[in-house]
Every structure is written in structure tokens, then in C-alpha cells.
Amino acid sequence: MPESAPLSPSTEAAESTISPDHSNGQLTEEFLEDSPARTWVADYLPGCSRQSLPLEADDEGPLSATLVRLDQQPASQGAAPVLQIHGWSDYFYNLPIAQKWVGAGHRFYALDLRKYGRSLRAWQSPGHIEDLAEYDAEINAALEVIRAENPDAPSPILHAHSTGGLIAALYTQRHPESVGALVLNSPWLEVPGDVAARTAAEGLVSPVNALNPTATLKLPRVDTYWESLSSQAYGEWQLHPLWRPRQPFPMTVGWLKAVFAGHRQVHKGLDLELPVLVLISSGTVYRRHWTPEYQENDGVLDVELLARRAVKLGRCVTVVRVPRAMHDVFASEESVRLSAFAEVTRWLKAYAPVT
């Protein structure tokens, strides 16, 4: 979810703990280059490798996505591998959550989508896309690599955050045979303000989108969520200055139009047959300036609205409210994220695919 003021009709055109310490990684203020085709190279996160996934070019030039793998193998084999997908203005940096998944018996992978994180290039409009279904290309490519490396494992679990949660849910509706289960971390399933706010905002962006989809919206770009995350402010996480900047990416009208279309689909109901776990905070906070409340509430999305939308995802949806969680539940204070992952492992015992 973009870190900005809520949309309105006035919108202008295997560790025992989860620790944020990955200080051995080297962050530089540079964009990456693609790795050689079908080749794993060392990632900046210790114990991880990355591989570029070539995609068809768009109007801005060449495109690729990036698959990241925690090289550590689980102690026991046979569980479904996990593919994590990030949210808006974001990328994969949470090594501790990867280690928790491996500790629970799952191979772990993460996908930096096109124009995000390790996949972002200097000539690109960060995060811009005009149809969320276009992400099928990199998700399919990532799952192909994962299946090749885990030929006897069950269908993968998609673990996705915020906008990534919306992308993952819509992908699963289109490709139900490719996914075994969904674990969604504060998925962005509706605009704050519900259908009325979304409808009004769509009316504003549609004419601009028809003329120039890469035009950016003049919305306040607040940094309260970044302050809650970053070790340079009040948070615990070392964030790449280009991949997760203090000011979130400017929202393009084409991207927002695509997100609205996804929200409409969720509102109608996705009728997913696979099991879905949705983790959300127990509270929401919106303030003009940062306060400690941001580290114990969702400061980006309306959790009550998320809970109502979550049950429209499918037939078997479990909604868990995590006390004192931030928007990214697994970037919250350590005891909170440990509690949240305990909920995941409990749910997995009942619902995770095993064959």
C-alpha cells in the first residue's frame, strides 16, 4: 500500500528468534545489474542468492524481476516451498522471517517484482504497471524455478504483503493449480474509505490515465511508516536508500487504476478454493506526524475494512488479528512477529498442503 494520505474525492490528478540484524549485508546507493541467465549469484543478504528473471520490455525499456533464495535447506524435506511477494515501495529484506520459514521446514524464496528493489533500474518509473495481471509473467517464472529445485514438493505457498497480497490473491484466482495456500500479511484489498472513496478516486484518475498512464498523482508523500521501519529513525531495519526510500515512490495513475480494478474484483468475491490466512493488526492509526502508536498499529490501512474484505477472498479464510502489529506484521517488534509466526505455524498444521 502506498504511504500517503488516504484517498478521497479531493485527490489530485532456522532461528529461534526473529532478529532484524543483517548488518553483514552491504547496501550501496546503486541499482543492480541483471545476473547471467539462469544463474544464481550471491545476494547482499548473508546466506542468500539471487537470480534475474528476464521479462518482455515495455515502453520504458528492458525489464526483469529478481528471485531471491535463502540457501539454507530445512532440516526435513517434503513441505511446500514458500514464495514471498513484497508491497508498494518495498523489496525483500527480512532475512529473519526467511529463516523462520526454513526453521518450520519450508524452502524460502522471495520475488522482487519488476521496477522494485533489486529489479529497479535507473530508467524506470518505480513500481509502475498498468495491469496487475502483467505480474503473472514473473510469478510464473519464479514458480518454474522453484518447482525445478523442489520437484517432489507440494504446490508452493504464496506469502505476500500489502499490495503484494492483492497481486497474490488475483494471481491465484487466475492460476489456482499453481498455488497450494496463501498467507497474506496486511493485504491491500480495498481503499481506505471503502467503495465510495474508490469510486470517487477512479473518476479522477481515469481521464488522466487515458492520456498519460505514467503521470504521477500530487498526493502528500508522508514518511511515518518509513520512520517506524528504518534503523535510521525509530525502527529496527536496515533499508536500501533506493529500493525503500524515505519518501515512497510517486504513484502513477496507470498503477492506481490497475489497483482499483483489483479491488473491484475482490469486492465481487474471488471464490478461491485453497486455504487463505490473513494476518492484520488489531488497530489502525492515522496521524500527520510520527508517534509511537505507529509501531503498535497499522498506519497505512484500515484493518476493520481489511477484515471485511478478507472473507471475500474464498471459501476457507482465516483472519487473525495480531495485537501491537505494524502494517508489516513481520517487521513489528520482535515479540509481536514471533507471536504472528506462531499463528502461521499453527495454521499450517491444519491447512498447509502436504502432498
Side-chain angles (χ1 to χ4, degrees):
M1 166 65 190
E3 194 177 337
S4 64
L7 292 166
S8 69
S10 63
T11 302
E12 296 184 41
E15 297 279 334
S16 60
T17 61
I18 303 180
S19 164
D21 182 15
H22 49 253
S23 56
N24 291 330
Q26 295 182 354
L27 295 177
T28 62
E29 294 191 27
E30 298 177 355
F31 295 106
L32 296 182
E33 296 181 356
D34 285 359
S35 66
R38 300 181 181 275
T39 302
W40 291 106
V41 299
D43 190 56
Y44 85 91
L45 287 176
C48 291
S49 300
R50 62 178 173 86
Q51 179 180 151
S52 294
L53 305 174
L55 303 170
E56 292 186 7
D58 69 2
D59 292 341
E60 293 185 327
L63 287 172
S64 64
T66 309
L67 185 64
V68 183
R69 178 186 68 189
L70 181 61
D71 296 327
Q72 178 186 351
Q73 295 269 359
S76 60
Q77 303 295 318
V82 172
L83 176 62
Q84 180 170 301
I85 303 176
H86 58 81
W88 173 251
S89 293
D90 212 351
Y91 69 102
F92 169 62
Y93 60 84
N94 195 327
L95 180 59
I97 192 60
Q99 293 167 333
K100 291 298 289 184
W101 276 108
V102 171
H106 303 265
R107 290 296 307 275
F108 180 88
Y109 301 81
L111 181 62
D112 279 11
L113 299 168
R114 67 185 75 186
K115 302 187 181 184
Y116 288 93
R118 298 163 180 81
S119 311
L120 180 61
R121 302 294 179 258
W123 61 83
Q124 295 173 343
S125 301
H128 175 71
I129 203 164
E130 294 173 33
D131 185 344
L132 297 184
E134 293 178 32
Y135 289 127
D136 287 11
E138 53 253 60
I139 298 174
N140 285 336
L143 292 180
E144 181 180 351
V145 173
I146 293 170
R147 283 191 292 267
E149 294 195 343
N150 305 273
D152 299 322
S155 296
I157 298 167
L158 290 189
H159 173 213
H161 170 57
S162 199
T163 311
L166 176 65
I167 292 166
L170 296 172
Y171 173 86
T172 302
Q173 186 191 46
R174 292 188 294 271
H175 305 276
E177 73 289 345
S178 298
V179 183
L182 285 176
V183 176
L184 305 181
N185 166 8
S186 302
W188 188 24
L189 303 178
E190 185 57 275
V191 172
D194 212 331
V195 176
R198 169 162 49 86
T199 302
E202 278 189 291
L204 292 171
V205 303
S206 293
V208 182
N209 180 66
L211 296 173
N212 182 11
T214 58
T216 57
L217 296 174
K218 297 179 180 179
L219 292 173
R221 294 166 62 197
V222 297
D223 61 2
T224 48
Y225 183 48
W226 180 92
E227 290 183 288
S228 300
L229 290 172
S230 175
S231 59
Q232 296 181 15
Y234 306 102
E236 303 176 62
W237 302 94
Q238 185 182 7
L239 302 177
H240 193 288
L242 293 177
W243 305 348
R244 209 327 171 178
R246 180 168 193 143
Q247 298 293 334
F249 299 152
M251 288 185 291
T252 65
V253 294
W255 172 82
L256 195 54
K257 184 76 173 173
V259 170
F260 288 157
H263 290 164
R264 284 200 309 276
Q265 289 179 258
V266 172
H267 184 244
K268 292 177 182 177
L270 298 188
D271 297 321
L272 301 179
E273 288 293 324
L274 82 177
V276 181
L277 173 63
V278 177
L279 299 165
I280 57 176
S281 177
S282 58
T284 298
V285 60
Y286 295 130
R287 300 284 185 270
R288 182 178 295 273
H289 301 292
W290 188 90
T291 76
E293 296 170 282
Y294 274 99
Q295 291 183 304
E296 296 188 351
N297 293 275
D298 191 321
V300 179
L301 297 177
D302 179 347
V303 297
E304 298 302 322
L305 182 52
L306 292 190
R308 295 198 299 273
R309 282 294 181 276
V311 296
K312 293 200 169 200
L313 293 175
R315 183 179 62 82
C316 182
V317 180
T318 304
V319 178
V320 176
R321 296 174 185 261
V322 182
R324 300 176 48 243
M326 293 197 298
H327 175 54
D328 185 344
V329 172
F330 292 111
S332 304
E333 189 270 335
E334 184 178 42
S335 65
V336 175
R337 51 189 188 256
L338 286 172
S339 175
F341 200 80
E343 296 285 357
V344 173
T345 55
R346 185 179 302 115
W347 181 83
L348 289 171
K349 290 178 182 177
Y351 291 108
V354 293
T355 59

